Amino acid sequence: VDGFPSPELQLSLHFPTGGRLKIQGEVFDLAEVDAIWLRRAVVGQRAVLALEPEHRAATREEANRTFSGMLDTFPGFLLDPPERWRGASKPRQLALAPQVGLVTAPTRITSDPEEARAFIAENPGGVVAKMLHDVRVQQGAAEATVYTNRIRAEDGEALDGLVWCPMQLQALVEREVELRVIAVGRRVWAGALKVEEGQVDWRRTGARDLRRWQPWTLPAEVEAAVLALQARLGLNYGAYDFIVRP
């Protein structure tokens, strides 16, 4: 939906009921849609680049309200309703995880450079920097993802920029295997990726590593904790990252 609104993606809401979605000329009657899966629903992010800068904010807001209106009036099943995945923020996940029996790395979310430097000093084994949401920066026609990165000694001065943009810092955890855990309803699946030397974020080489992923069986207590977390968050779908230490 980052391409809405545009000539390729158009949405019409009919009241009191109904509507239609047109994707590259193909029309879908919303009355015939039984379910919608929302995945990274960032409305208008790419589409508004075709507009003059002074019109982008207003256009994106109108697109957001139109798309949200469709979801608010949709009578079928939503996986998951926007208010639920907005409520499943990273800070809330970090607060709930130990309550259901999951262990998390020491974490600091801050916009204070002094707090950040203190946290780095408290964790001499290393610290990584993460964003709180899936950040994608438009660079001309290309889109760049902001990955998890290890903080280096030469990054010290750059920490002053935190006063303009908060960031999540976590203690670096020694890893042998990375796990991606998917929970849908009451079912849980896990995939495992052997960590390569120097690798901090497996997403950097995602396509290259597709064949390296292997099925993984979670311990029963971890699977139960994932489902408990999912229930506390009120979600039907969730994707979680775990680390297996050496």
Side-chain angles (χ1 to χ4, degrees):
V1 295
D2 63 337
F4 169 73
S6 68
E8 292 77 32
L9 184 54
Q10 299 162 38
L11 173 63
S12 299
L13 304 180
H14 304 167
F15 294 97
T17 59
R20 71 177 197 168
L21 183 65
K22 186 188 291 185
I23 304 175
Q24 296 182 340
E26 187 175 359
V27 176
F28 299 87
D29 186 341
L30 293 179
E32 298 177 358
V33 176
D34 297 319
I36 295 176
W37 180 22
L38 291 174
R39 179 70 172 151
R40 294 199 178 112
V42 183
V43 177
Q45 181 170 285
R46 178 168 50 88
V48 297
L49 297 177
L51 304 175
E52 295 297 324
E54 62 268 26
H55 300 310
R56 292 176 183 174
T59 299
R60 189 169 182 182
E61 182 62 26
E62 287 298 297
N64 261 305
R65 290 177 182 251
T66 300
F67 186 78
S68 296
M70 178 194 70
L71 299 177
D72 289 340
T73 57
F74 180 65
F77 178 73
L78 291 177
L79 184 67
D80 277 295
E83 64 273 12
R84 293 191 187 177
W85 47 260
R86 289 192 193 106
S89 66
K90 290 292 177 64
R92 188 170 181 224
Q93 291 177 40
L94 287 165
L96 290 177
Q99 297 179 26
V100 299
L102 295 173
V103 178
T104 60
T107 303
R108 187 78 50 91
I109 299 172
T110 184
S111 66
D112 184 338
E114 291 184 10
E115 283 263 349
R117 292 187 176 98
F119 183 76
I120 292 168
E122 293 165 10
N123 293 278
V127 169
V128 295
K130 300 179 175 182
M131 306 306 291
L132 290 174
H133 73 294
D134 183 28
V135 178
R136 296 171 188 243
V137 179
Q138 205 69 34
Q139 298 178 334
E143 188 179 67
T145 298
V146 179
Y147 295 108
T148 297
N149 291 283
R150 184 167 185 171
I151 295 181
R152 303 161 300 177
E154 56 266 34
D155 295 328
E157 188 174 329
L159 292 172
D160 291 334
L162 287 174
V163 296
W164 302 109
C165 181
M167 187 170 285
Q168 177 182 192
L169 306 175
Q170 279 192 328
L172 183 67
V173 177
E174 191 176 2
R175 301 156 301 145
E176 182 175 2
V177 175
E178 295 260 19
L179 300 181
R180 183 68 162 177
V181 177
I182 304 295
V184 182
R186 300 295 301 172
R187 299 191 65 185
V188 178
W189 296 266
L193 183 68
K194 181 80 171 177
V195 175
E196 295 181 339
E197 185 176 355
Q199 187 179 39
V200 176
D201 190 334
W202 57 263
R203 295 175 301 166
R204 285 186 183 276
T205 55
R208 188 199 75 186
D209 289 334
L210 280 177
R211 295 183 181 276
R212 295 181 55 231
W213 285 91
Q214 299 294 325
W216 186 275
T217 301
L218 289 176
E221 62 272 20
V222 175
E223 181 172 326
V226 169
L227 291 174
L229 177 61
Q230 187 116 314
R232 294 285 295 273
L233 294 171
L235 298 175
N236 288 295
Y237 170 88
Y240 307 93
D241 292 314
F242 287 83
I243 287 171
V244 178
R245 299 184 187 215

